[in-house]
């Protein structure tokens, strides 16, 4: 997968790209990042990429010319990429969207600053608008890092263990079950006996129940889309009533 990142602050991504899963994905050849400072594409003699909004108002607006030219540069000779605008007005990001984007060969992120984007960018270039939450960040870089990480870790062989991604929280529609490791007794706190029983059927049943309980008590909104048996739905109602 190729990912182009249009940003005024490419140095923000250097640390993220050189560690952990994103570094591993590059070493495996699964992921090729390209940092593009779209200020380099401005035709403004002062290297400005923003201007005052028509109609007045506070803040500055990113001008269309630098971003249009930067997009044309990174898409030259390329098939149709997904062009993602990081924007608080975008659709709320979730695991389903990550899985969708992980199937693409070429993604482009546009990371804005200032008050917003010239609307012609949104209307003529962008294929997806994404928000990582109902709060305001200084720019789109941190959001783009989060989306990029969540997508790249889904690429084949990147995690090493093929079952890791499907078992993550949200991948099944439920939150993930609790985890324990050695020692079995730590300062008098015991690992649940079922996990040391060696009975894989009971272990899976326990994990499913714990996952369901956590979701019902912490994120009940997720249950509307989860695939549950009638018995599980009855159990959820009991927990919620209690």
């Amino acid at each position: 997968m190729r990912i182009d990142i249009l940003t005024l602050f490419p140095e923000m991504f250097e640390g993220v790209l050189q560690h952990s899963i994103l570094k591993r994905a590059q070493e495996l050849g699964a992921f090729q990042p390209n940092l593009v400072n779209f200020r380099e594409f401005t035709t403004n003699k002062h290297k400005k990429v923003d201007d005052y909004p028509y109609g007045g108002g506070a803040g500055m607006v990113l001008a269309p010319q630098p971003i249009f030219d930067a997009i044309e540069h990174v898409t030259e000779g390329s098939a149709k990429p997904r062009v993602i605008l990081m924007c608080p007005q975008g659709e709320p990001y979730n695991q389903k969207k990550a899985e969708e984007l992980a199937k693409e060969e070429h993604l482009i992120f546009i990371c804005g600053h200032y008050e917003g984007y010239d609307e012609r960018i949104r209307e003529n270039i962008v294929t997806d608008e994404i928000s990582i939450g109902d709060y305001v960040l200084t720019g789109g870089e941190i959001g783009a890092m989060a989306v990029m990480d969540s997508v790249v870790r889904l690429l084949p062989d990147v995690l090493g263990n093929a079952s890791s991604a499907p078992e993550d929280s949200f991948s099944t529609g439920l939150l993930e079950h609790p985890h324990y490791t050695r020692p079995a007794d730590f300062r008098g706190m015991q690992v649940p006996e079922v996990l040391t029983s060696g009975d894989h059927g009971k272990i899976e049943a326990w994990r499913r129940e714990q996952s369901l309980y956590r979701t019902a008590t912490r994120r009940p909104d997720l249950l509307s889309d989860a695939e549950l048996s009638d018995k599980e739905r009855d159990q959820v109602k009991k927990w919620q009533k209690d």
Side-chain angles (χ1 to χ4, degrees), residues 65-230:
Q65 180 271 316
I67 293 181
F68 268 73
D69 284 6
I71 289 288
E72 288 168 2
H73 174 75
V74 299
T75 57
E76 186 175 358
S78 173
K80 293 183 179 179
R82 296 282 284 271
V83 182
I84 300 165
L85 190 73
M86 301 306 304
C87 175
Q89 300 175 28
E91 65 175 294
Y93 190 61
N94 55 31
Q95 187 66 21
K96 183 179 180 181
K97 188 70 172 183
E99 292 168 358
E100 176 188 327
L101 294 176
K103 298 174 183 177
E104 300 290 333
E105 295 183 1
H106 187 187
L107 302 178
I108 300 174
F109 289 92
I110 303 176
C111 306
H113 263 66
Y114 314 117
E115 183 64 24
Y117 307 92
D118 185 293
E119 190 67 14
R120 289 165 289 190
I121 296 169
R122 194 190 309 271
E123 292 177 343
N124 295 279
I125 295 177
V126 171
T127 62
D128 301 83
E129 296 182 46
I130 288 177
S131 168
I132 63 167
D134 294 336
Y135 46 86
V136 179
L137 296 171
T138 304
E141 284 78 11
I142 293 175
M145 292 177 197
V147 175
M148 178 171 59
D149 183 274
S150 68
V151 169
V152 170
R153 67 192 307 277
L154 295 175
L155 300 179
D157 302 322
V158 168
L159 291 183
N161 187 334
S163 64
S164 294
E167 292 177 357
D168 285 340
S169 289
F170 307 112
S171 293
T172 63
L174 303 176
L175 299 182
E176 197 171 7
H177 56 76
H179 293 278
Y180 296 87
T181 188
R182 292 178 288 186
D185 184 333
F186 176 68
R187 298 183 180 179
M189 295 176 281
Q190 305 286 333
V191 170
E193 186 176 345
V194 64
L195 297 179
T196 60
S197 68
D199 188 324
H200 296 291
K202 289 183 178 179
I203 291 171
E204 288 305 311
W206 180 87
R207 287 176 170 171
R208 175 70 178 182
E209 181 181 46
Q210 291 295 310
S211 179
L212 189 60
Y213 178 76
R214 282 197 167 184
T215 307
T217 56
R218 300 183 184 189
R219 289 292 306 277
D221 55 297
L222 297 176
L223 293 174
S224 59
D225 295 326
E227 295 184 6
L228 307 180
S229 67
D230 291 339

Side-chain angles (χ1 to χ4, degrees), residues 28-43:
L28 290 170
F31 162 54
Q32 178 189 355
N34 179 37
L35 299 173
V36 178
N37 187 336
F38 59 86
R39 191 182 299 279
E40 297 175 1
F41 291 85
T42 183
T43 56

